[in-house]
């Protein structure tokens, strides 16, 4: 039957009974004749609890030690799941990211997969074992344990599927990809299929169902992803190559991001050197920037705004201190009560008028926006968080999502 990579998220393995249920599901697939590699996350809220423990000691914990701490969550899950499989009569073995051959590079807590060495996994599969791999983690060239950031288990699973040249099934607490987050817009429609390009945009814009890098890897290696609920046999969503049917509709989905900061640096003397300096210092400190806007020059000064993750607040404050030494007279505003609303659709490449429609909807409903950015298949707006739910509902209805 071939190899299948399955991934189960934290809610799927949230307690012992759920781990036993996952073991039964995996055993059923094994019984069908498949070779199975299972990637799992930490149990439930384990990662959040570990983060809270660290922050009870220090507000800005050492990133290397955070990787050492957070990696323990997945190690608990893989051992318990392997035990459960053995109890049901199936030979299995648990492997940490390092043991599974996940080699990474970059900064701690935000590593990226450099390469995957699957010889050990293949050997275990040849012996008929179910291989249970810790998601979210790997090892760098120094031999240090590393983690891949939030959603990193998705990336682990897709990277393994790409290397093993097989399909990847991701099971979670949602039953597929929806046009809009159903928790905000209950009438959202579930998609049977979505293109890699659209899913990458939606993931990067805040859709929490899949991690952006996981979709990037799937797109690069043409690995189909099947996203479905972790219980029952409800049909899920395929993430795959685009087809003509997908291009018929201008907008496929709408996403919301809440965990962002908007930083505005006021009174920047207008030279290209100064603007370059701002983003060079941010890049050197590994701060990922999203939306960028700049006012027109006035009296040879501009204001520069950008958004970033709230997780980077301490790093950004250090960056600002450095910039204050080089850019005399600047002052900085931080806004945390903002949300980003994005409309995404591959059909926008061939259809016009989407931006005009969104501006009209905002105008008719007295929703003000702070920034706008566009790509070939998306338009994003930052708004006050107090307007978030209203914006989602009126846009979803106007765009027939």
């Amino acid at each position: 039957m071939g190899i299948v990579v399955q991934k189960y998220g934290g809610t799927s393995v949230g307690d012992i009974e759920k781990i036993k249920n996952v073991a039964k599901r995996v055993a059923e697939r094994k019984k069908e004749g498949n070779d199975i590699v299972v990637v799992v996350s930490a149990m439930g809220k384990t990662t959040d609890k570990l983060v809270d423990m660290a922050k009870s000691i220090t507000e800005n914990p050492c990133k290397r030690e955070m990787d050492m701490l957070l990696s323990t969550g997945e190690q608990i899950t893989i051992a318990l799941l392997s035990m459960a499989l053995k109890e049901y009569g199936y030979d299995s073995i648990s492997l940490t990211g390092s043991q599974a051959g996940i080699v990474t590079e970059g900064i701690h807590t935000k590593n990226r997969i450099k390469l995957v060495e699957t010889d050990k996994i293949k050997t275990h599969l040849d012996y008929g074992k179910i291989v249970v791999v810790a998601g979210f983690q790997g090892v760098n060239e120094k031999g240090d344990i590393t983690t891949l950031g939030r959603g990193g288990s998705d990336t682990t699973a897709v990277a393994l599927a790409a290397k093993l040249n097989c399909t990847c099934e991701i099971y979670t607490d949602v039953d597929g990809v929806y046009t809009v987050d159903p928790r905000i817009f209950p009438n959202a429609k579930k998609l049977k299929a979505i293109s890699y390009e659209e899913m990458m945009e939606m993931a990067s814009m805040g859709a929490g169902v899949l991690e952006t890098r996981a979709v990037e890897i799937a797109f690069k290696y043409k690995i189909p992803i099947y996203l479905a609920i972790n219980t029952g046999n409800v049909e899920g969503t395929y993430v795959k190559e685009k087809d003509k049917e997908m291009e018929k509709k201008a907008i496929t989905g709408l996403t919301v991001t809440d965990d962002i900061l908007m930083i505005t640096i006021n009174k920047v003397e207008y030279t290209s050197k100064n603007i370059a300096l701002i983003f060079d210092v941010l890049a050197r400190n590994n701060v990922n920037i999203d939306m960028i806007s700049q006012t027109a020059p006035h009296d040879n000064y501009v204001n520069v705004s950008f958004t970033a993750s709230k997780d980077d607040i301490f790093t950004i404050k250090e960056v600002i201190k450095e910039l204050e030494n080089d850019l005399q007279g600047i002052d900085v505003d931080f806004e945390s009560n903002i949300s980003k609303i994005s409309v995404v659709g591959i059909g926008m490449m061939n259809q016009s008028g989407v931006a005009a429609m969104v501006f009209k909807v905002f105008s008719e409903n007295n929703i003000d926006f702070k920034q706008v950015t566009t790509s070939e298949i998306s338009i994003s707006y930052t708004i006050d968080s107090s307007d978030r739910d209203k914006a989602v509902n009126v846009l979803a209805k106007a765009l027939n999502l």
Side-chain angles (χ1 to χ4, degrees):
M1 293 284 287
I3 301 172
V4 175
V5 173
Q6 293 188 334
K7 179 259 177 177
Y8 292 90
T11 54
S12 305
V13 291
D15 56 40
I16 296 301
E17 282 306 310
K18 289 181 178 179
I19 289 174
K20 289 180 179 179
N21 288 334
V22 167
K24 290 174 183 176
R25 287 173 61 90
V26 172
E28 285 298 316
R29 289 300 293 274
K30 179 65 175 176
K31 194 184 298 182
E32 293 171 6
N34 293 286
D35 289 329
I36 308 292
V37 178
V38 190
V39 176
V40 289
S41 301
M43 296 172 64
K45 297 293 184 180
T46 299
T47 300
D48 291 336
K49 291 176 183 177
L50 292 171
V51 170
D52 289 342
M53 290 169 66
K55 291 192 173 180
S56 69
I57 295 174
T58 171
E59 286 190 356
N60 190 23
C62 167
K63 293 188 184 311
R64 181 192 181 278
E65 302 309 329
M66 282 300 291
D67 276 355
M68 186 69 75
L69 175 67
L70 298 182
S71 65
T72 63
E74 281 71 23
Q75 291 178 45
I76 293 169
T77 315
I78 59 172
L80 292 172
L81 180 56
S82 185
M83 291 176 189
L85 287 163
K86 290 175 186 291
E87 189 67 14
Y88 294 137
Y90 290 85
D91 196 7
S92 68
I93 186 166
S94 64
L95 300 175
T96 65
S98 171
Q99 291 170 329
I102 308 294
V103 181
T104 68
E105 61 185 357
I107 64 167
H108 280 288
T109 73
K110 293 182 181 180
N111 257 230
R112 297 180 69 87
I113 294 176
K114 181 180 180 181
L115 60 95
V116 181
E117 300 169 340
T118 55
D119 289 349
K120 184 178 287 188
I121 289 175
K122 288 178 178 177
T123 297
H124 290 307
L125 292 176
D126 288 343
Y127 280 106
K129 296 180 181 179
I130 297 170
V131 181
V132 184
V133 178
F136 175 66
Q137 63 180 249
V139 62
N140 64 18
E141 60 184 16
K142 296 179 181 178
D144 288 335
I145 293 174
T146 58
T147 65
L148 306 175
R150 290 286 183 178
S153 293
D154 290 349
T155 308
T156 302
V158 178
L160 286 171
K163 187 69 175 181
L164 295 167
N165 193 29
C166 65
T167 59
C168 182
E169 302 170 355
I170 294 182
Y171 295 100
T172 180
D173 56 351
V174 296
D175 60 354
V177 180
Y178 281 77
T179 53
V180 189
D181 188 336
R183 293 170 297 183
I184 305 174
F185 186 66
N187 293 325
K189 303 177 182 70
K190 184 166 67 174
L191 300 167
K192 290 185 177 180
I194 185 172
S195 70
Y196 293 121
E197 295 94 332
E198 290 170 322
M199 194 67 248
M200 277 192 285
E201 287 280 345
M202 289 182 69
S204 68
M205 301 296 183
V209 292
L210 276 175
E211 206 277 328
T212 310
R213 286 175 295 169
V215 188
E216 289 174 354
I217 294 169
F219 183 29
K220 180 177 179 179
Y221 294 97
K222 298 296 182 283
I223 298 298
I225 300 175
Y226 179 65
L227 181 74
I229 198 162
N230 51 32
T231 57
N233 295 306
V234 179
E235 184 180 3
T237 301
Y238 282 95
V239 183
K240 60 175 192 171
E241 292 188 77
K242 66 180 179 181
D243 55 39
K244 291 182 179 179
E245 192 67 29
M246 294 175 183
E247 296 176 354
K248 288 181 180 179
K249 191 174 181 182
I251 300 300
T252 298
L254 183 155
T255 65
V256 180
T257 309
D258 291 319
D259 59 341
I260 58 173
L261 291 168
M262 180 174 168
I263 300 93
T264 301
I265 305 176
N266 302 295
K267 302 176 185 176
V268 180
E269 186 176 356
Y270 180 54
T271 69
S272 57
K273 180 179 178 182
N274 286 343
I275 306 303
L277 174 66
I278 292 170
F279 294 102
D280 179 60
V281 177
L282 288 163
R284 282 194 279 108
N285 284 274
N286 295 289
V287 177
N288 289 325
I289 300 303
D290 186 10
M291 303 176 74
I292 300 172
S293 58
Q294 176 188 301
T295 59
H298 180 70
D299 293 336
N300 205 39
Y301 286 91
V302 295
N303 300 332
V304 178
S305 299
F306 60 89
T307 58
S309 169
K310 285 182 179 178
D311 290 341
D312 287 327
I313 179 66
F314 291 104
T315 304
I316 293 170
K317 286 183 176 180
E318 291 301 312
V319 166
I320 297 302
K321 288 179 183 178
E322 182 176 341
L323 289 173
E324 285 173 337
N325 293 326
D326 296 313
L327 303 175
Q328 299 298 315
I330 63 170
D331 67 74
V332 182
D333 294 325
F334 286 83
E335 292 185 66
S336 57
N337 294 318
I338 61 169
S339 297
K340 181 175 71 171
I341 306 289
S342 304
V343 292
V344 177
I346 204 161
M348 288 170 61
M349 296 174 69
N350 302 313
Q351 300 181 44
S352 60
V354 175
M357 182 187 294
V358 176
F359 285 128
K360 183 180 179 182
V361 170
F362 280 178
S363 173
E364 291 173 343
N365 290 275
N366 298 312
I367 298 169
D368 296 321
F369 55 89
K370 300 172 183 290
Q371 294 171 298
V372 182
T373 59
T374 65
S375 75
E376 280 191 315
I377 65 170
S378 70
I379 308 173
S380 298
Y381 305 80
T382 51
I383 63 174
D384 285 326
S385 293
S386 59
D387 287 328
R388 184 197 73 163
D389 288 359
K390 180 169 71 170
V392 170
N393 277 270
V394 295
L395 281 174
K397 290 173 183 175
L399 298 170
N400 192 30
L401 298 175

